[in-house]
Amino acid sequence: MKLITRNTDYAVRALCCIAEQKQEVISGDQLVKSLEMPRPFLRKILQTLNKEGLLTSSKGKGGGFALAASPEGITLIEVMKIFQGPIKLSEHKFKKSDCPRINDCLLKKKIDEIEKEVIVKLKAITISSILKNRR
Amino acid sequence: MKLITRNTDYAVRALCCIAEQKQEVISGDQLVKSLEMPRPFLRKILQTLNKEGLLTSSKGKGGGFALAASPEGITLIEVMKIFQGPIKLSEHKFKKSDCPRINDCLLKKKIDEIEKEVIVKLKAITISSILKNRR
DNA sequence: CAAAATGATACAATTATAGTATCATAATAG
DNA sequence: CTATTATGATACTATAATTGTATCATTTTG
Ligand code: FES
Ligand code: FES
């Protein structure tokens, strides 16, 4: 019942780390050292973030990754969508298709209300607001 | 990223159905007919609800299940705990043990705030409040 | 060309969810 | 006392999601 998967969590940590960096561009290997996470896993995450337009990348010596937007402009929900798909707290599948009862499920209606509020909260979280949380 | 598993959803639907019934006791097979869900799966769910004290059961002809408390007294979060364990939106495990970064993870702190609010909402949902939602 | 970096893609392991199957036990009617 | 109707306990299996790993190709710079 976890809201955030490891993909997303690592991606956010990487984005935070890049945002804090003095030099704009930082290589994957430097990030591995700072963040202590499995190299090939982080590499894949960085590639995805680049493909989705949250990072820019450059190859070759001196290359690496940089933020494509300011830390204020990168929201958590955006990262979640990339790695976890759209937020659906009350998804209810039955062998790949939706539950036949989904339209009259009373519980689903209640959960949908909670979902709306969670989405509002998530939209308010950005890389910069996460960094501000720190002491 | 689903908040409610099928176990929980089915359990709630069953509890609602029992609560609405005129006769207090209803058999598993009758519930299967009303709820259109896989018999052995529902049976297991009912057994668990009984073991956890949300239902009472009686064997033999005329037997079946009945609510152990009033519909106002059964909360969603109670059912969720039974089938999904305690609510932990920001759990982050690494091979069975907690993520070593869990104590300084800035994102986790943000998610924990959301978790608190979600728990408040969930605690307010009961079988009777779910039934009232219906038109 | 060699070194340092990312890009693309296929594969594998682990865990969680969802579901099935079987046999035992108890209560009731006749 | 035995057949029927019901639940109890428990072991097994299937599917999907998550969490990774491994390999080779491509681009950039010196
Ligand atoms: S959406 Fe399927 S039972 Fe609630
Ligand atoms: S709790 Fe592990 S990185 Fe956030």
Side-chain angles (χ1 to χ4, degrees), chain A residues 9 13, chain B residues 92 99 102 105:
Chain A
D9 201 349
R13 288 229 332 260
Chain B
H92 192 164
C99 174
I102 203 157
C105 181

Side-chain angles (χ1 to χ4, degrees), chain B residues 41-106:
Chain B
F41 195 27
L42 179 58
R43 261 174 58 72
K44 195 163 77 169
I45 288 168
L46 291 169
Q47 281 184 15
T48 304
L49 288 172
N50 177 40
K51 213 182 303 176
E52 298 290 336
L54 270 69
L55 292 176
T56 59
S57 75
S58 50
K59 288 176 172 181
K61 191 155 191 167
F65 299 91
L67 293 188
S70 72
E72 293 79 28
I74 303 173
T75 63
L76 174 57
I77 202 160
E78 206 176 344
V79 180
M80 289 177 72
K81 265 180 197 153
I82 290 171
F83 292 101
Q84 310 177 206
I87 313 289
K88 273 180 198 160
L89 291 186
S90 64
E91 211 176 28
H92 192 164
K93 300 284 195 105
F94 189 72
K95 314 229 173 194
K96 294 269 191 184
S97 58
D98 283 333
C99 174
R101 291 275 183 146
I102 203 157
N103 287 320
D104 65 280
C105 181
L106 299 168

Side-chain angles (χ1 to χ4, degrees), chain A residues 57-123:
Chain A
S57 76
S58 50
K59 289 176 169 179
K61 192 156 192 169
F65 299 91
L67 293 188
S70 71
E72 293 80 28
I74 304 173
T75 63
L76 174 56
I77 204 161
E78 203 176 347
V79 180
M80 290 177 72
K81 268 180 196 153
I82 290 171
F83 292 102
Q84 309 176 206
I87 313 289
K88 273 181 198 160
L89 290 185
S90 63
E91 211 175 30
H92 193 165
K93 299 286 195 111
F94 189 73
K95 312 228 174 193
K96 294 273 187 178
S97 56
D98 283 334
C99 173
R101 291 273 184 152
I102 203 158
N103 287 319
D104 66 277
C105 181
L106 299 168
L107 179 52
K108 182 172 164 39
K109 286 176 189 146
K110 290 280 187 187
I111 302 300
D112 282 345
E113 291 169 22
I114 294 180
E115 180 180 298
K116 272 181 208 161
E117 297 176 47
V118 169
I119 288 178
V120 169
K121 309 272 177 206
L122 288 176
K123 279 189 176 153

